[in-house]
């Protein structure tokens, strides 16, 4: 196969891209090139501060084995699971895949990568405590990213290129090579003023578009256009996928985190610092005019629609 001598190209250095690069190396890839548009790796993943959900893990309360991750997630998904097949079944299968593999994800991070995930909290929409973080001061996202990256950089087959933005996915019909397999065969990369081309199998892990407040967010959720965000204020890259025929789904499914810190010196700043969900998981309550007005551990949908609000007579 022509692709055997080419590097695996991973686009995006958040948690998804770092794990993809790690997995490719573990599967004996000869070389992995990780392309990141920002000057530093880590994406939004490096900011994650509450933790990672998993069940049933050895860090959870052993007296009550957690069997509710699947049903809690179905409940949180709400109307995103349509009532009739085949999509009803497919979505449930995806949720099963996510929740059934969550234990091995936590084990991989703690046992293989050395991330401390020993502290467990109950957060929004959960029946029991299942959000894992470390006991120290380093937030889980930063710890996960730093350790994954360190392990990758110890491998001579791995190369990280920052300041490199993928601007196009190249399909085999655009490739001059006669032995290219059908499908995506490489990427166009912009670094400064220079455009270069790299060929190889591509893993696209460029994250979401919540920081693209006046672009994709405004397009798919006009009601949220321009909303302040804790995400990096950079354009979403979904059009690169659509350009090569990918169908985008659920683009209107954007969850809004209900709490953030407002800098008194810069109240109108669109870039906010998250008041992490963990604060509510550890007992923080929300007050309005001195009164509690919402179930702090309801789902995001409840928090925004007000259906989880307390009723006062
Ligand atoms: C403040 C904050 C706190 C959070 N806390 C939690 C939490 O506690 N628990 C939790 O589960 N989730 C949390 N989240 C959400 C979580 O961080 C994201 O779901 C997760 O980071 C997504 O990972 P990712 O690898 O898909 O994307 P990202 O981490 O965003 O990485 C995508 C990377 O791709 C790069 N990229 C994009 N386009 C290109 C291109 N064309 N070429 C090259 N590179 C490109 C980006 O620069 C970025 O580095 C939080 C999010 C924020 C913002």
């Amino acid at each position: 196969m022509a692709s055997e001598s080419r590097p695996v190209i991973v686009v995006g250095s958040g948690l998804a891209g770092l794990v993809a690069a790690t997995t490719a190396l573990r599967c004996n890839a000869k070389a992995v090139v990780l392309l990141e548009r920002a000057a530093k790796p880590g994406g939004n993943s490096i900011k994650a501060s509450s933790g990672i959900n998993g069940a049933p893990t050895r860090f959870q309360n052993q007296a009550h084995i957690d069997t509710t991750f699947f049903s809690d997630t179905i409940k949180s998904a709400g109307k995103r699971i349509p009532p009739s097949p085949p999509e009803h079944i497919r979505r449930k299968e995806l949720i099963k895949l996510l929740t059934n593999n969550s234990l091995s994800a936590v084990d991989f991070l703690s046992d293989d990568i050395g991330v401390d995930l020993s502290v467990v909290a109950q957060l929004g929409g959960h029946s029991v405590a299942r959000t894992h973080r470390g006991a120290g001061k380093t937030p889980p996202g930063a710890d996960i990213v730093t350790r994954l990256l360190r392990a990758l950089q110890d491998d001579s087959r791995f190369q990280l290129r920052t300041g490199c933005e993928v601007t196009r996915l190249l399909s085999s019909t655009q490739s001059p090579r006669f032995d290219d397999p059908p499908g995506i065969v490489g990427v166009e990369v912009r670094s400064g003023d220079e455009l270069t081309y790299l060929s190889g199998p591509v893993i696209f892990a460029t994250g979401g578009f919540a920081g693209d407040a006046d672009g994709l967010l405004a397009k798919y959720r006009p009601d949220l256009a321009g909303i302040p965000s804790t995400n990096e204020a950079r354009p979403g890259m979904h059009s690169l996928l659509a350009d090569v025929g990918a169908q985008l789904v659920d683009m209107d499914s954007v969850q809004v985190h209900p709490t953030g810190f407002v800098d008194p010196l810069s109240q109108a700043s669109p870039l906010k610092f998250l008041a992490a969900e963990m604060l509510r998981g550890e007992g923080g309550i929300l007050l309005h005019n001195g009164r509690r007005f919402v179930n702090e551990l309801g789902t995001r949908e409840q928090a925004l629609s007000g259906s989880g609000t307390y009723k006062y007579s």
Side-chain angles (χ1 to χ4, degrees):
M1 286 281 287
S3 61
E4 276 177 17
S5 56
R6 304 179 196 176
V8 173
I9 302 164
V10 181
V11 189
S13 69
L15 177 52
L18 293 171
V19 171
T22 305
T23 307
L25 290 175
R26 287 183 177 204
C27 293
N28 297 323
K30 291 217 169 70
V32 173
V33 175
L34 180 51
L35 300 170
E36 168 56 52
R37 68 180 164 185
K40 287 186 183 166
N44 285 310
S45 301
I46 207 165
K47 299 181 180 181
S49 45
S50 289
I52 179 166
N53 294 334
T57 73
R58 64 183 185 275
F59 304 114
Q60 290 179 286
N61 183 348
Q62 293 300 308
H64 302 99
I65 301 296
D66 181 1
T67 55
T68 51
F69 195 7
F70 176 75
S71 53
D72 281 352
T73 311
I74 295 280
K75 228 181 281 170
S76 290
K79 64 177 189 300
R80 279 157 204 90
I81 302 181
S84 46
E87 203 50 15
H88 176 83
I89 296 166
R90 204 181 71 84
R91 299 258 164 156
K92 281 190 160 174
E93 286 303 317
L94 286 173
I95 291 176
K96 201 181 284 171
L97 193 71
L98 173 83
T99 53
N100 283 356
N101 284 301
S102 63
L103 167 61
S104 58
V106 168
D107 282 348
F108 162 74
L109 289 172
S110 62
D111 299 343
D112 290 20
I113 307 297
V115 179
D116 176 15
L117 294 173
S118 59
V119 179
V120 190
Q122 180 171 349
L123 302 191
H126 298 172
S127 304
V128 297
R130 68 168 69 98
T131 305
H132 297 65
R133 67 180 198 276
K137 284 190 178 153
T138 312
D143 201 22
I144 291 171
V145 165
T146 311
R147 287 177 190 271
L148 280 170
L149 203 52
R150 205 179 292 148
L152 283 167
Q153 284 170 329
D154 281 345
D155 192 317
S156 59
R157 296 171 295 161
F158 175 75
Q159 195 187 28
L160 169 68
R161 297 187 197 163
T162 53
C164 288
E165 176 166 334
V166 168
T167 43
R168 197 153 59 102
L169 295 172
L170 305 174
S171 65
S172 47
T173 50
Q174 299 161 315
S175 167
R177 290 177 61 120
F178 64 90
D179 56 351
D180 278 326
I184 300 304
V185 293
V187 292
E188 177 185 82
V189 187
R190 185 172 53 213
S191 179
D193 292 334
E194 202 187 349
L195 270 190
T196 52
Y197 299 88
L198 193 60
S199 83
V202 179
I203 300 173
F204 202 77
T206 61
F209 59 90
D212 193 4
D214 297 311
L216 287 187
L217 190 62
K219 176 174 174 186
Y220 291 104
R221 283 292 300 271
D223 56 317
L224 299 177
I227 193 171
S229 178
T230 58
N231 290 263
E232 289 297 303
R234 292 176 193 270
M237 283 291 138
H238 301 61
S239 62
L240 298 194
L241 296 173
D243 287 348
V244 291
Q247 241 188 316
L248 304 176
V249 296
D250 294 336
M251 293 296 277
D252 62 338
S253 291
V254 177
Q255 62 159 324
V256 179
H257 192 103
T259 49
F261 291 111
V262 177
D263 181 350
L265 298 177
S266 180
Q267 295 189 16
S269 167
L271 186 64
K272 298 293 182 216
F273 193 84
L274 191 71
E277 188 160 355
M278 181 250 295
L279 297 172
R280 281 171 276 132
E282 292 295 347
I285 56 169
L286 299 178
L287 302 175
H288 180 64
N289 291 335
R291 306 191 85 179
R292 206 169 166 199
F293 64 99
V294 71
N295 175 2
E296 292 82 1
L297 296 184
T299 63
R300 296 283 161 85
E301 199 148 23
Q302 286 169 343
L304 291 172
S305 70
S307 62
T309 50
Y310 288 118
K311 303 268 182 283
Y312 293 103
S313 53

